[in-house]
Amino acid sequence: MANLNVCVGIDAGSNTSKLAYDSKLIAELKNFDLLKLREESEIYFDEPVFSCVVALPDSYSRRQRDDVIFSAKKSGFKNVNIITAHEAINLALNYERALVYDFGASRSELTVFGDNEILENVIINDVCGNEFDRAFSEWLSERFTLNLIDKKVLLEKAREIKIFLSENDYVTWRDVNITRDDLERLIHFTVKRAAHVAKRLMRVYNPESFILTGGCSRIPLVRKIFTQVVKDNIEINESLIANGASIKALSLTAGDKASERFDTAAKIRELRGNLLELEELLTRKQKDRACR
């Protein structure tokens, strides 16, 4: 029987995945590897972990969800619960009125949450990490005359440099310095366009907060532009979806423990009833003997 004492939350991102427990980020991987995530959770808790809540993009089909469940069970998770990214965000927000920009790898999504429902949802497919990588790889190809290099290899290199430049001013590649400014010039216009959409939604719905999440929220230019748009109301939370999944996971284990307590209480009541019956039987026998 599976150990239900621990249930972890997982954010299944496009290029990265995150593992969380009780709104605390435990691990982050560069891909979606459920076996590795389970191993990371068991290292963290120092005990077997068999239960998880996986937050998937809302665009996932039924077949894609079934594939994730199959993969999770193959990785050793016996109890797998699937929720959408929107459900996870709602839980993390505790249903407050907020505008969330999930700036991910495959697309970016602005969603206004309020009154336990989605008030508006705007998807921008061409403003995302993958598009940044594509534009950057093309720039690298032109800059270094790399037409003979495999495009997939160059794309992966562009992604690697992009991530490095999120925390550093420059990187040296092929004896040439590539600066953060080089990358920012390529993506500035598209980020600014997304920021104008956010500004319109802020004006229309006047949310309590603006939260920037997703892998691209680490890019300094993204943070700078959106901070200018929403002034001092911005909150950066890269693990928002994972946190929401972990809150759901915690509620499930709390329910399991409550059920266990209920079962234990029922057994105690049954035992007490049996003891009372036994006591009554003994009393009757003693009275019978006294009458004789």
Side-chain angles (χ1 to χ4, degrees), residues 17 19 28 57 68 90 95 105 136 154 159 177 198 212 222 284:
S17 54
L19 176 73
E28 181 175 356
V68 170
N90 236 337
Y95 305 105
F136 198 30
L154 187 56
R159 181 178 294 116
N177 287 341
L212 186 61
V222 172
R284 247 192 341 259

Side-chain angles (χ1 to χ4, degrees), residues 130-239:
N130 291 344
E131 285 298 312
F132 292 169
D133 297 341
R134 183 191 57 76
F136 198 30
S137 67
E138 290 178 359
W139 181 85
L140 289 174
S141 180
E142 293 175 4
R143 173 82 181 270
F144 294 96
T145 318
L146 303 174
N147 296 328
L148 297 179
I149 291 185
D150 184 271
K151 287 186 177 181
K152 288 184 179 180
V153 174
L154 187 56
L155 191 65
E156 185 57 39
K157 188 63 184 180
R159 181 178 294 116
E160 179 186 321
I161 294 174
K162 179 194 71 177
I163 293 171
F164 186 84
L165 289 176
S166 294
E167 298 179 356
N168 301 274
D169 293 329
Y170 70 93
V171 61
T172 302
W173 187 53
R174 293 183 170 240
D175 298 324
V176 175
N177 287 341
I178 301 171
T179 68
R180 182 185 292 170
D181 287 340
D182 293 328
L183 171 63
E184 291 183 346
R185 277 194 296 270
L186 291 171
I187 67 174
H188 186 275
F189 175 76
T190 53
V191 176
K192 197 80 172 178
R193 178 158 55 87
H196 283 301
V197 178
K199 188 174 184 179
R200 176 185 69 80
L201 294 173
M202 291 286 288
R203 187 171 59 249
V204 172
Y205 294 98
N206 192 28
E208 297 172 23
S209 59
F210 176 89
I211 302 173
L212 186 61
T213 189
C216 289
S217 64
R218 295 176 178 173
I219 299 175
L221 179 69
V222 172
R223 296 188 177 202
K224 178 181 177 182
I225 289 177
F226 278 92
T227 300
Q228 291 171 345
V229 169
V230 299
K231 306 302 181 186
D232 56 354
N233 296 324
I234 191 169
E235 176 186 339
I236 312 286
N237 189 337
E238 298 172 18
S239 57

Side-chain angles (χ1 to χ4, degrees), residues 48-65:
V49 176
F50 296 108
S51 302
C52 67
V53 173
V54 184
L56 297 175
D58 295 67
S59 59
Y60 265 37
S61 66
R62 178 63 181 272
R63 182 174 180 177
Q64 287 174 305
R65 290 182 175 215

Side-chain angles (χ1 to χ4, degrees), residues 9-11 18-21 23 25 55 88 239-247:
I10 297 172
D11 171 18
K18 297 182 178 68
L19 176 73
Y21 178 76
S23 298
L25 190 65
S239 57
L240 184 67
I241 295 174
N243 289 345
S246 74
I247 291 170

